[in-house]
Amino acid sequence: MLGLCVRPAWTRTPLRRWLPPQLLLWLWLRLLAVLCAVALFCELGIYYAVMLGCQWPPLGAPHGRGGQGSPPPPLLRALFLADPHLLGALKGHWLDKLRREWQMERAFQTALWFFEPDVVFVLGDLFDEGKWSSPEDFKDDVLRFQMMFKHSPNTELFVVVGNHDIGFHYEMDLYKLQRFEEVFNFTSAKVVTKKGINFVLVNSIALQGDGCSICEKVEKDLHQLSLALNCSRQLDPNHSNENCKEKDTFPASAPILLQHYPLYRVSDAECTGEDSASAEEKKLLFREKYDTLSLEASKKLLWWFHPRLVLSGHTHSACMVLHAEHLPEISIPSFNWRNRNNPSFLLASITATDFTLSKCFLPRESTIWAIYLTAAVVMANLILFHFNFWQWMMHYLINKHKSI
């Protein structure tokens, strides 16, 4: 009698269980559709989803000068970000550059589409290697920056120079400073006036007070600007002030000071918020002229300009401090995932007499990787279940256990 050996169905490995080509194609098409949907959300949609929770901060009641029936002062909507740190040719890995530059471009372009700001200010360290870049590399970095941060004619963009753009004080020279100024129409002491609001843009790298040629010129130019601004704020049409006759005229509004280095503070120990420095970093004392401006330079700027708000970058972490118990300074975190997991930017509603600020966070890099990892695990399990892999594995382990 011929003996037959019949193997149980569960002993057949998944590799031996062939599917009709049509069903196999349908399976892969569904998996591809899921993969595309996850990628589109992580690379495009998540920026819109996150920024749905942001909005322009509302101002309080307008402070009109002409009584209750006077029109409200013009409102300026400004977006502030800091420290993009575009990677250069020397240290930047191509994959890192591609990933982080895509992230910054999508975040910025989504913010422009959502909020349509009147003006954007970037508070220094546009580049990571500007202080070392050759003319060719610098030109390439500039083109990439202009592509990533392109904007409509309805939005103006201004930048402030940072230490990674031209080097720390001991690395700064006239060539590096001039090539940055020519490309970005920046001067080391500049007033930008929009809708009656004065912004003072400062080259804080040059405020070292050691008599270097660049430093002397910057301090002289800043002092002259401060005289012109103060004359404009005190100017009385019925009284001619001889010292103010030849000064430029600006709107009579207390300025907003924009610079890369923060004003002098001992550390970030008093800073709070989810995007403030880590507990270990808060224990570190700041070095004058490296982490912050010197105490002397800080006092000069405050005395010269009497600003109503100071905005700075450089530390890559958020902080809000009060100078002289009434003047707020906001340090804006880095806009680059390479420097922190939760980048952010500021939205500001500003008039000549008032301002309000709100913060808008970008997606966390860890969140995006978690979504990708979760999707990969789910898809892998769906494939394995489809081929009865886990059923086969369970029976295999049970059978192996019985044989022992």
Side-chain angles (χ1 to χ4, degrees):
M1 183 176 180
L2 183 63
L4 297 176
C5 179
V6 179
R7 299 179 65 188
W10 50 263
T11 63
R12 300 170 193 163
T13 65
L15 296 177
R16 295 181 181 178
R17 187 186 177 204
W18 298 102
L19 289 175
Q22 297 85 350
L23 291 179
L24 192 61
L25 177 61
W26 176 241
L27 171 65
W28 289 117
L29 286 176
R30 283 192 294 175
L31 291 176
L32 181 62
V34 172
L35 179 62
C36 290
V38 172
L40 282 172
F41 177 74
C42 289
E43 303 303 325
L44 291 173
I46 195 169
Y47 297 98
Y48 294 92
V50 167
M51 291 186 192
L52 277 172
C54 305
Q55 60 182 352
W56 288 107
L59 280 171
H63 302 288
R65 295 183 179 180
Q68 189 174 2
S70 63
L75 175 66
L76 181 76
R77 289 180 167 175
L79 186 153
F80 298 92
L81 62 94
D83 297 89
H85 280 271
L86 271 69
L87 291 173
L90 299 177
K91 296 168 58 179
H93 188 275
W94 69 268
L95 184 58
D96 193 26
K97 289 167 67 173
L98 177 66
R99 181 68 187 137
R100 269 51 189 271
E101 289 181 11
W102 169 258
Q103 165 259 327
M104 285 189 285
E105 180 177 357
R106 291 321 316 149
F108 182 74
Q109 295 303 326
T110 304
L112 285 188
W113 185 84
F114 252 105
F115 305 114
E116 298 181 335
D118 300 311
V119 62
V120 174
F121 292 98
V122 184
L123 303 186
D125 280 359
L126 283 60
F127 311 113
D128 196 61
E129 300 175 9
K131 55 185 178 181
W132 301 311
S133 296
S134 67
E136 294 76 18
D137 290 338
F138 184 76
K139 185 181 296 185
D140 177 67
D141 292 344
V142 168
L143 290 174
R144 283 165 38 230
F145 178 88
Q146 291 172 339
M147 179 186 69
M148 292 165 55
F149 292 92
K150 60 182 179 291
H151 49 90
S152 72
N154 298 326
T155 298
E156 294 186 86
L157 187 143
F158 298 93
V159 304
V160 173
V161 71
N163 57 288
H164 276 265
D165 300 319
I166 59 174
F168 284 101
H169 174 64
Y170 60 89
E171 300 167 309
M172 176 182 61
D173 58 40
L174 195 58
Y175 167 73
K176 296 175 189 174
L177 180 60
Q178 286 180 339
R179 75 176 181 181
F180 185 91
E181 291 180 340
E182 289 172 2
V183 169
F184 294 104
N185 191 28
F186 170 80
T187 57
S188 295
K190 180 176 183 176
V191 174
V192 171
T193 301
K194 297 295 172 187
K195 296 186 178 181
I197 302 154
N198 299 314
F199 298 91
V200 179
L201 280 57
V202 177
N203 176 4
S204 51
I205 317 303
L207 297 180
Q208 298 289 314
D210 62 353
C212 76
S213 58
I214 295 176
C215 301
E216 284 187 342
K217 183 180 186 308
V218 169
E219 290 205 20
K220 181 181 177 181
D221 291 345
L222 284 171
H223 186 238
Q224 292 301 314
L225 278 180
S226 73
L227 293 176
L229 283 166
N230 289 330
C231 284
S232 299
R233 293 169 65 181
Q234 300 167 5
L235 202 57
D236 183 352
N238 299 319
H239 177 72
S240 176
N241 189 330
E242 293 295 329
N243 295 327
C244 294
K245 278 186 174 180
E246 297 181 0
K247 302 296 182 187
D248 293 331
T249 301
F250 297 100
S253 172
I256 295 174
L257 196 59
L258 307 179
Q259 56 196 42
H260 183 62
Y261 280 161
L263 297 177
Y264 175 78
R265 60 177 182 261
V266 174
S267 69
D268 270 355
E270 302 301 321
C271 305
T272 58
E274 60 182 290
D275 54 350
S276 61
S278 65
E280 293 75 18
E281 291 173 321
K282 289 181 180 180
K283 297 176 184 177
L284 302 176
L285 299 180
F286 282 153
R287 293 161 290 179
E288 291 186 64
K289 304 180 182 181
Y290 189 86
D291 299 310
T292 70
L293 285 177
S294 67
L295 180 59
E296 179 184 0
S298 301
K299 287 181 176 178
K300 276 185 180 180
L301 287 175
L302 295 181
W303 176 253
W304 285 345
F305 293 103
H306 301 283
R308 53 180 167 145
L309 173 66
V310 180
L311 298 174
S312 58
H314 187 57
T315 65
H316 298 175
S317 299
C319 189
M320 199 285 283
V321 295
L322 287 177
H323 299 282
E325 299 183 354
H326 73 279
L327 171 64
E329 178 185 4
I330 310 292
S331 289
I332 301 176
S334 174
F335 196 66
N336 192 332
W337 270 344
R338 184 167 170 256
N339 296 323
R340 62 180 309 107
N341 184 41
N342 57 342
S344 61
F345 56 88
L346 281 186
L347 297 173
S349 300
I350 313 172
T351 67
T353 57
D354 200 2
F355 66 86
T356 55
L357 307 173
S358 67
K359 182 175 295 184
C360 188
F361 284 93
L362 274 58
R364 291 176 179 263
E365 185 175 30
S366 57
T367 299
I368 292 181
W369 287 123
I371 294 173
Y372 274 127
L373 181 60
T374 302
V377 171
V378 171
M379 289 174 64
N381 276 282
L382 287 175
I383 294 172
L384 295 175
F385 273 115
H386 191 87
F387 286 99
N388 291 334
F389 177 82
W390 293 121
Q391 181 184 3
W392 174 85
M393 179 62 71
M394 182 178 67
H395 286 299
Y396 172 78
L397 292 175
I398 293 173
N399 187 53
K400 185 176 181 180
H401 178 72
K402 287 180 177 180
S403 65
I404 294 176

